[in-house]
Amino acid sequence: MADPVTAVVAVGWGLKAVGWIASPIMSEIFKKGSSFLGFDAKEKLKELEPKVLLLERVMEAVEESPDRPRLEQLFKDLKSAFYEAEDILDDVEYHRLEKQIQDGKLKSDGDVPIRKRDWVKKKLRSAIPSSPLKDQESGMSRHQLKSSFEKIEKVINDACEILERLNLRPVTDYNWRQVVPPNSRSAVTTAAPPLKVIGRDEDRDKIIAMLHDKESNGHESTNIGVCYSVIGIHGIAGSGKSTLAQYICDREKKDKEEEKVGHFDLVIWIHVSQKFDLQAIFTEVLEGATGRPSSEFKNRNTLRENLVKELRGKLILLVLDDVWYNIRDAGHHGELEQVLSPLEVAKTGTKILVTSRSKDALVALGAVGERCIPISDLTDDVFVQMFMHYALRGAVVPGHDGIDLQMLGVEIAKKLNRSPLAARTVGAQLCLRPNVEFWRRTRDRDLLNETMGALWWSYQHLDEQVRRCFAYCSIYPRRRRFKRHELVQLWMAEGFIKTTNAEEEPDGVGQDYFDELLSASFLQLGERRLEHGCEVDYFTVHDLLRDLAEEAAIGDCFKLEEGFRGEVPPDVRHIFVGSCDRKMLTEKIFQLQNLRTLIMDYPLHIELSDEKFLESMFTRLQNLRVLVLRFNGLLGGRTFSLPASIGLLKHLRYFYFDMHVQMKLILPDSITKLYHIQQLDVLGASHMDFSGAKHMSHLINLRRVSSGLDFPNIGRLKWLQILYGFTVKNKLGYEIRQLKRLNKLQGKLCIMGLENVRGKEEATEASVAQKERVIELAFVWGDRSCSPEVEAEVLEGLCPSKYLQRLEIINYHGSTYPNWMVSKENGGPGHLRNLWLLNCSRLEPAPELFEVFVHLRWFRLWDSNWDALPHNMEQLTLLQVLDINGCPNILLLPALPQSLERFCLKGCNEEFTRSCETTGDPNWQKIQHIPKKTIRLQQ
């Protein structure tokens, strides 16, 4: 039998196909279809299950088989049949929703929307008419779905016939999920120091500082009150976690030898592995503590008692290398806790250093915050240096050969995607034959087999649906950075997120999928940006894992990038267009009638004919679930109409249309026929004309809507999450109470037209405090104002949740602050980070503001009659930005906090402005500690 690495890599296509087939996709499709077609789903799945198990054997047997090409085609056919069934069932759901809306059965108060998971047998069976040819409720043929299911069964049966001819062992003899993980079990790590470590000095010193940190001993752990704390290193397979831990242990031992007395009394190294054996681990810890074999203890309790005796009162560094953790296994957490239990008698200051592929393992053991350390990515230069060290082992090859080897080494290193494991394994082979021809042939080979084998093994231990989500990431170019919510929304639109009960929200399940990928390092934090005063995280996929995602996508995803002149695969489902001309779109992409995703990242130039261009797109690509369009340039007129044929996209969930041009956009009424739509973003137009606005509440699955779309009865859209802006009007359907039940709103919300709210009682109906996921709020009054007293009542009634991070109050004409802004006991946003007061002309300075909002990072005061800033501003020890604009009465600055990084002063009193620029002036002195200052007379 092939070794695990070769097996996993060689038949990666088989694993991909089998993982896809054996996932919940099949069972869910058959369960839903059974209600519609009237067969017993349990019996059908019971019949198919052993055949699917037989298909799982494919990785062991078919790589060298002459039947492999036929099997590959069968898997393609099977996948196509599954997609076809999904589309048919989606049509059924669409027409059921349509009929309910036409019959007026959707409740006007926006009760829980109809979703696929609510699609139970009673409702479907009651919808099936007696006609065998055409189902009037669904608008499609039941025969079509029956044919699709028969196609699925036929492909599975054909594949099994081929596999049965291969004389495999019985199915029960083999389970691919129990394969020994490559590069983990085959070479068990030890505490022995590596010969040379390159590029890890900074990581080593950072972790050693944590190991020696006495102030936080026992306090940085989630295990409150214990004598030890946990520090963890996590990262993908082959990223150098164990090497870094060895490097740290080596430094600790050298320090002990040089100083005669080291920091720790004992340094113990345990290789945990996925095959978890508590008896073996206790035995190894005891042997590490005593320095002698401990095989005589057969009873675990006796073993533990002796272990406790040896560890009592000692300062210990215990390294747990390669810890595996299954977050879905409730018993696994308890087992990990038992590993640490003997250390409860150790000396305070004891440390546990953990390495794992999963951040969840570190958290389960007690590492928190900055003590969960992602293994750092090596720079290209450092990686080349590491690779050449393994490839030449310090040898100097003279003459032109040496120069050629250096150049070839750089080229080979580029193919290894900065994987330390790949550098070591490939470099070791090159070291045996330091000749130019061998290195040139090596450069032209696929060099990542061993590393990819280890990653494949990790990938297969993800949940099936999580795997599908990760594979979808391959649609984006390398190094692409994206926000968490953007990716989750796309997964939802594609139908990758499956809920197991009616209480679960797909968004929340999607967040869990994201966290699982993040914990296992399949996704990584790329950067953290400060946007509008709030921190925003951007994530990316490591280059090595990007290759894995492409393999896992099984040809579903395809990218058109600059210079592409080839053929587009006819069975592709998801396309990303980075660069493309219209001819390519119309002649190639528009022919892909099964396409589910079209992301136009490259903006097309707008032309007069584009209405017909889009008409053709919408007519041909009716299976789209995700559509992202970007246009640029000038049109020969001032108006652009989105074709009514968009209403044909019955499966569409995610629509993003960015014009980037200032013109009027006419939206067709047919948009309100997109009953599955979840995200509707129409951006860039100077004005939108939408006569179908009154029917927008029919889009009961809508979660995100553009700020420019103005429509009544928004309160019926109970699943709405992103609203951006809501304008209160003196019109039916635009009352502030429309916000009352929209408690799933998140991100930023701007409430405008507050002059149309008649008092506190009416304002309270918005239930702003219940919107805990809204972290940015803007309250805006218009030019036509009601009395200052009424405005004050309204602001009092708009008390936000305690989780609010940013608050803007604009054009407020009241003269008093609401209690929730000036009193600590009124349930307001006590952890507010940004406070902006814009054109609030009647408000006076209030020191109480800065007693309540002590966590402020940014304070902006614009167009105000304040005559001074409050004297207690110095206590805002976290304040980073102070922005004063158009405040003519302020003449003197108070003492300002040392934390300030930016000071902006514009359009204020001329004498005051000059004083801030005059050396030695008191105002000048108060801002000298601020690094960035912008001071000018004009606004």
Side-chain angles (χ1 to χ4, degrees), residues 214 217 226-229 263-265 311-316 342-351:
K214 296 180 180 179
N217 284 339
V226 298
C227 61
Y228 59 80
S229 59
H263 183 80
F264 294 101
D265 300 322
L311 300 182
R312 187 178 300 278
K314 294 179 180 176
L315 191 63
I316 302 164
L343 274 77
E344 293 171 358
V345 299
K347 186 177 180 180
T348 298
T350 286
K351 295 292 194 301

Side-chain angles (χ1 to χ4, degrees), residues 464-600:
E464 290 88 345
Q465 294 304 127
V466 179
R467 279 184 254 158
R468 204 176 181 194
C469 292
F470 173 69
Y472 184 78
C473 295
S474 68
I475 194 173
Y476 289 108
R478 290 182 184 274
R479 313 287 175 90
R480 179 67 171 245
R481 297 188 173 184
F482 39 79
K483 298 178 185 177
R484 170 192 287 258
H485 72 86
E486 291 173 345
L487 205 50
V488 170
Q489 293 301 317
L490 286 169
W491 292 342
M492 282 182 55
E494 300 291 358
F496 298 157
I497 296 174
K498 306 300 180 186
T499 55
T500 56
N501 61 67
E503 301 302 317
E504 286 185 314
E505 294 183 23
D507 312 77
V509 176
Q511 298 285 350
D512 292 341
Y513 289 0
F514 193 99
D515 288 337
E516 186 170 347
L517 289 171
L518 192 62
S519 173
S521 299
F522 282 86
L523 295 174
Q524 297 177 336
L525 179 64
E527 66 175 320
R528 181 166 288 160
R529 300 179 191 167
L530 192 65
E531 297 181 358
H532 305 294
C534 295
E535 290 181 342
V536 179
D537 289 340
Y538 285 83
F539 299 88
T540 188
V541 179
H542 188 282
D543 282 354
L544 194 58
L545 286 159
R546 180 67 176 64
D547 293 339
L548 178 66
E550 285 186 352
E551 289 292 318
I554 330 173
D556 278 355
C557 299
F558 193 78
K559 289 180 296 300
L560 288 176
E561 299 185 89
E562 190 171 357
F564 177 79
R565 292 293 181 269
E567 292 298 318
V568 179
D571 57 349
V572 70
R573 264 21 187 232
H574 313 291
I575 285 186
F576 177 95
V577 181
S579 179
C580 189
D581 56 29
R582 290 169 182 274
K583 185 177 180 181
M584 174 70 75
L585 286 169
T586 54
E587 294 183 3
K588 300 283 180 73
I589 295 179
F590 285 9
Q591 309 307 314
L592 305 173
Q593 296 185 5
N594 291 321
L595 198 64
R596 291 189 170 200
T597 304
L598 177 57
I599 297 178
M600 292 283 301

Side-chain angles (χ1 to χ4, degrees), residues 208-214 217 251-253 255-257 259-267 314-317 347-351:
I208 287 177
M210 290 182 176
L211 294 175
H212 294 183
D213 182 9
K214 296 180 180 179
N217 284 339
R251 172 52 64 89
E252 286 295 324
K253 290 176 180 178
D255 288 348
K256 187 170 185 177
E257 291 170 2
E259 301 172 12
K260 305 303 181 186
V261 178
H263 183 80
F264 294 101
D265 300 322
L266 293 173
V267 177
K314 294 179 180 176
L315 191 63
I316 302 164
L317 169 59
K347 186 177 180 180
T348 298
T350 286
K351 295 292 194 301

Side-chain angles (χ1 to χ4, degrees), residues 786-926:
C786 48
S787 72
E789 293 75 21
V790 171
E791 290 197 16
E793 287 183 20
V794 169
L795 188 56
E796 186 72 55
L798 293 174
C799 178
S801 89
K802 60 184 178 182
Y803 300 102
L804 191 70
Q805 294 183 21
R806 173 174 164 179
L807 175 64
E808 299 176 36
I809 301 177
I810 303 171
N811 297 336
Y812 173 62
H813 300 100
S815 59
T816 60
Y817 294 91
N819 284 333
W820 52 265
M821 289 185 73
V822 292
S823 172
K824 296 180 182 179
E825 308 301 325
N826 278 279
H831 290 271
L832 196 71
R833 293 182 172 214
N834 302 339
L835 176 60
W836 294 7
L837 302 177
L838 312 180
N839 195 25
C840 301
S841 54
R842 295 173 184 249
L843 282 178
E844 298 293 328
E848 298 87 348
L849 279 177
F850 303 137
E851 293 172 5
V852 174
F853 302 137
V854 295
H855 301 283
L856 281 184
R857 265 76 164 174
W858 190 340
F859 178 61
R860 171 175 282 180
L861 185 69
W862 280 19
D863 300 321
S864 171
N865 290 327
W866 279 20
D867 56 10
L869 295 173
H871 60 81
N872 59 344
M873 285 201 70
E874 192 173 16
Q875 73 182 31
L876 299 179
T877 56
L878 300 175
L879 192 68
Q880 297 172 353
V881 181
L882 177 60
D883 186 354
I884 307 170
N885 195 324
C887 301
N889 298 331
I890 295 179
L891 300 176
L892 186 66
L893 288 173
L896 298 176
Q898 293 298 308
S899 58
L900 274 172
E901 298 174 2
R902 211 170 93 204
F903 175 73
C904 185
L905 182 68
K906 299 179 185 177
C908 293
N909 180 280
E910 182 175 354
E911 181 181 347
F912 172 52
T913 303
R914 299 296 184 204
S915 70
C916 291
E917 297 178 304
T918 303
T919 303
D921 188 277
N923 286 327
W924 176 86
Q925 292 176 344
K926 290 170 184 174

Side-chain angles (χ1 to χ4, degrees), residues 137 171 262 295 319 361 393 418 426 440-441 468 559 566 683 794 800 904:
E137 181 87 3
V171 172
S295 56
V319 181
R393 296 290 179 184
R418 302 191 307 282
V426 175
R440 186 173 285 120
R441 290 197 302 273
R468 204 176 181 194
K559 289 180 296 300
L683 308 174
V794 169
C904 185

Side-chain angles (χ1 to χ4, degrees), residues 407-433:
M407 292 191 295
L408 286 167
V410 171
E411 293 180 49
I412 293 170
K414 286 180 180 178
K415 298 182 70 174
L416 301 181
N417 288 333
R418 302 191 307 282
S419 165
L421 175 60
R424 185 166 66 248
T425 54
V426 175
Q429 293 298 315
L430 295 174
C431 185
L432 299 175
R433 299 179 66 182

Side-chain angles (χ1 to χ4, degrees), residues 681-701:
D681 270 335
V682 183
L683 308 174
S686 58
H687 175 68
M688 281 187 279
D689 187 346
F690 183 35
S691 59
K694 61 182 178 293
H695 298 305
M696 277 291 287
S697 58
H698 290 170
L699 304 184
I700 55 176
N701 287 303

